[in-house]
Amino acid sequence: MASATSSTVDITAGGDGIHLPDTARDLVKILVTGPFGVGKTTLIGSVSEIRPLHTEEQLTEASAPVDDLAGVRDKSTTTVAIDFGRISLPGGIVLYLFGTPGQERFRSLWDDIAHGALGALVLVDARRIDASFDVLGLVEEGGLPYAVAFNTFPDAPRHHTPEQLRAALDLEPTTPMVTCDAREADSSIDALLALVQHLIDRPAEHR
């Protein structure tokens, strides 16, 4: 893969918004994952140069006993299969973004969605860090390199240091950890670039 640059990416760089740009060289499948309500659908929607695919359905009373709404009481929809988007980065890198459902009841989809992915961006909500443990476990069990992005919610605690957050998630020192606002394209792209650079920097025998 070519080097990733941190300059602002024009998300219309794909030309007409449908076809791949002529400069496309490396096509990379990336998972955007994390617990329920952490902002995966929002992030993919904010960066995709094509019309993103969403499989959202309304939450119902029937799902209440199995979907943990703690910390996300205002959420009214949920992804039931995948989210999908595409973004072209400088250097000819094109990311195909696959968003995973966040609930335990959709875990059976995980292996199918993750198949062929080169890495994962794991979104974390600082208000409910423990909700991320299961997803991090799945990513690690699958052997996927990953970066962690703390999505900045308005009422998220601000007093934790990066060292405390890294320790809370038991992250390796080499695992990238950033903050982002999933609603903002530039911020979300920076998080994706942190993951791409991590993939590029890995030793050749681990790629």
Side-chain angles (χ1 to χ4, degrees), residues 182-202:
R183 301 167 299 179
E184 300 292 336
D186 288 349
S187 181
S188 298
I189 288 168
D190 284 344
L192 289 166
L193 285 170
L195 170 62
V196 171
Q197 194 62 56
H198 180 50
L199 298 178
I200 292 169
D201 292 343
R202 297 179 75 226

Side-chain angles (χ1 to χ4, degrees), residues 19-144:
H19 299 98
L20 282 172
D22 294 337
T23 55
R25 213 172 42 153
D26 294 310
L27 310 182
V28 183
K29 180 178 180 179
I30 296 295
L31 294 189
V32 178
T33 190
F36 177 57
V38 78
K40 303 179 292 293
T41 299
T42 300
L43 184 143
I44 290 174
S46 75
V47 303
S48 183
E49 66 195 12
I50 60 174
R51 182 178 179 181
L53 167 68
H54 298 309
T55 58
E56 286 200 308
E57 297 292 343
Q58 289 291 320
L59 288 167
T60 65
E61 291 184 8
S63 70
V66 293
D67 291 337
D68 184 4
L69 297 179
V72 287
R73 291 291 175 186
D74 293 335
K75 187 166 174 60
S76 61
T77 61
T78 183
T79 298
V80 296
I82 63 169
D83 293 312
F84 175 76
R86 188 189 78 202
I87 179 172
S88 301
L89 301 178
I93 300 172
V94 178
L95 304 185
Y96 288 95
L97 306 175
F98 287 76
T100 67
Q103 299 100 305
E104 173 69 25
R105 60 192 170 105
F106 295 118
R107 180 172 287 195
S108 59
L109 296 174
W110 175 267
D111 288 341
D112 290 336
I113 298 173
H115 181 72
L118 291 191
L121 181 67
V122 181
L123 288 181
V124 176
D125 183 346
R127 302 170 301 177
R128 47 193 184 100
I129 289 177
D130 56 347
S132 301
F133 295 156
D134 285 346
V135 172
L136 284 168
L138 283 173
V139 172
E140 291 175 352
E141 288 170 16
L144 284 175

Side-chain angles (χ1 to χ4, degrees), residues 146-206:
Y146 64 93
V148 167
F150 279 86
N151 193 9
T152 54
F153 290 91
D155 58 343
R158 309 289 180 182
H159 58 278
H160 298 308
T161 67
E163 292 76 16
Q164 289 172 326
L165 293 173
R166 184 175 290 275
L169 291 172
D170 194 24
L171 299 180
E172 295 289 338
T174 55
T175 300
M177 189 185 75
V178 299
T179 60
C180 77
D181 185 336
R183 301 167 299 179
E184 300 292 336
D186 288 349
S187 181
S188 298
I189 288 168
D190 284 344
L192 289 166
L193 285 170
L195 170 62
V196 171
Q197 194 62 56
H198 180 50
L199 298 178
I200 292 169
D201 292 343
R202 297 179 75 226
E205 62 270 19
H206 292 153

Side-chain angles (χ1 to χ4, degrees), residues 3-28:
S3 297
T5 62
S6 57
S7 59
T8 298
V9 177
D10 180 1
I11 62 173
T12 64
D16 57 13
I18 299 175
H19 299 98
L20 282 172
D22 294 337
T23 55
R25 213 172 42 153
D26 294 310
L27 310 182
V28 183

